[in-house]
């Protein structure tokens, strides 16, 4: 099983600043990496697939980079609605997809 | 706009079988995607359970495979999950979802989730 490790577990950032979230895979997943956002009491929603392709309707302040085992989600200028939980997911190892444990982005 | 809605008992006794159904509206499940289940224990992260194609071919998380059965009913545009011999560790919010087909495992639509508690 491919293990996905996200860091940090909690990230405290002020509105308007940049946030950088990391995701590491225990073995290469190429670019088969998705990011999801989850707000309290809601289902996750897709932010990014293919490591760097924003889903429909996702603002340009969200960007994703990386391939192989190291990935980054960057939010360039945090808005109030961006404070949430973020999960990465690998879909390289079909059908055994796995998620990271999540990063909580909180207001500083 | 596809919509997914989970339904089923919110409380299941230990050792019994957890059964959930996901109704899909706004999209035919016979068109081009797989249909999956993901769960989230309270306060914890996401766990992939498995997915099924409208043909009935199913793919299971290896850790749950011995207890898990996925099925699909194309006439009702819905798919289902059965997890046997449940324990408290199976307590979670269960989400149904639309998943990319044939290994493109991006989840682009989710149900709202349903909490299932395993307790006597």
């Amino acid at each position: 099983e491919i293990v996905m490790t996200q860091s940090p577990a909690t990230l405290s950032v002020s509105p308007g600043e940049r946030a950088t979230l990391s995701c590491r895979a225990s073995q290469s997943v190429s670019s088969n990496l998705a990011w999801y956002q989850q707000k309290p009491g809601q289902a996750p929603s897709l932010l990014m697939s293919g490591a760097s392709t924003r889903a429909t309707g996702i603002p340009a302040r969200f960007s994703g980079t990386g391939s192989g085992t190291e990935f980054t989600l960057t939010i360039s200028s945090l808005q109030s609605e961006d404070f949430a939980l973020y999960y990465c997911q690998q879909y390289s190892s079909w059908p055994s997809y796995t998620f990271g444990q999540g990063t909580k982005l909180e207001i500083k | 706009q596809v919509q997914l809605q989970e339904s089923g008992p919110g409380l299941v006794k230990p050792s019994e079988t957890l059964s959930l159904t996901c109704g899909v509206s706004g999209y035919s499940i016979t068109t081009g995607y797989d249909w999956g289940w993901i769960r989230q224990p309270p306060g914890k992260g996401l766990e992939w359970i498995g997915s099924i194609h409208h043909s009935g071919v199913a793919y299971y998380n290896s850790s749950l495979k011995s207890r898990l059965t996925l099925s699909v009913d194309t006439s009702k545009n819905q798919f289902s999950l059965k997890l046997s011999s449940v324990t408290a560790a199976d307590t979670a919010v269960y989400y149904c979802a639309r998943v990319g087909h044939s290994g493109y495992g991006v989840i682009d639509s989710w149900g709202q989730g349903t909490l299932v508690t395993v307790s006597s």
Side-chain angles (χ1 to χ4, degrees):
Chain A
E1 176 181 288
I2 298 177
V3 177
M4 307 300 293
T5 303
Q6 291 185 243
S7 60
T10 303
L11 182 61
S12 300
V13 184
S14 300
E17 294 189 342
R18 175 192 299 255
T20 303
L21 290 67
S22 295
C23 175
R24 173 177 293 177
S26 61
Q27 63 190 76
S28 177
V29 298
S30 186
S31 295
N32 298 310
L33 192 285
W35 289 96
Y36 301 89
Q37 179 191 68
Q38 186 178 34
K39 296 181 179 180
Q42 297 184 16
S45 61
L46 178 65
L47 285 176
M48 203 87 60
S49 63
S52 62
T53 302
R54 285 188 302 274
T56 303
I58 301 302
R61 65 179 181 272
F62 289 88
S63 62
T65 60
S67 66
T69 62
E70 300 284 344
F71 300 89
T72 300
L73 175 70
T74 301
I75 311 169
S76 60
S77 179
L78 280 164
Q79 307 297 304
S80 58
E81 62 267 29
D82 300 335
F83 292 96
L85 271 166
Y86 291 84
Y87 292 95
C88 62
Q89 176 224 352
Q90 66 80 19
Y91 51 95
S92 175
S93 178
W94 182 59
S96 300
Y97 305 137
T98 48
F99 294 90
Q101 80 279 20
T103 290
K104 181 181 180 181
L105 181 57
E106 64 176 25
I107 300 175
K108 186 175 183 180
Chain B
Q1 173 96 4
V2 61
Q3 293 188 320
L4 302 98
Q5 179 68 58
E6 304 88 353
S7 61
L11 181 63
V12 181
K13 290 182 168 56
S15 80
E16 295 190 344
T17 296
L18 181 162
S19 297
L20 295 173
T21 296
C22 182
V24 180
S25 58
Y27 193 88
S28 171
I29 65 170
T30 62
T31 309
Y33 283 87
D34 288 350
W35 304 91
W37 293 93
I38 300 97
R39 69 181 182 179
Q40 185 172 34
K44 296 188 178 180
L46 301 165
E47 180 182 24
W48 178 262
I49 296 173
S51 62
I52 188 165
H53 185 254
H54 67 82
S55 63
V57 175
Y59 308 98
Y60 300 134
N61 181 329
S62 57
S63 68
L64 298 170
K65 189 173 183 177
S66 63
R67 300 191 290 130
L68 183 63
T69 303
L70 302 185
S71 60
V72 62
D73 187 337
T74 56
S75 67
K76 294 182 178 179
N77 214 43
Q78 64 185 34
F79 57 104
S80 299
L81 169 154
K82 290 187 186 296
L83 184 66
S84 64
S85 304
V86 297
T87 69
D90 296 308
T91 294
V93 174
Y94 285 75
Y95 296 101
C96 61
R98 189 174 76 172
V99 186
H101 181 51
S102 291
Y104 184 71
V106 177
I107 306 162
D108 71 351
S109 297
W110 299 67
Q112 66 182 27
T114 187
L115 174 62
V116 179
T117 301
V118 178
S119 175
S120 55

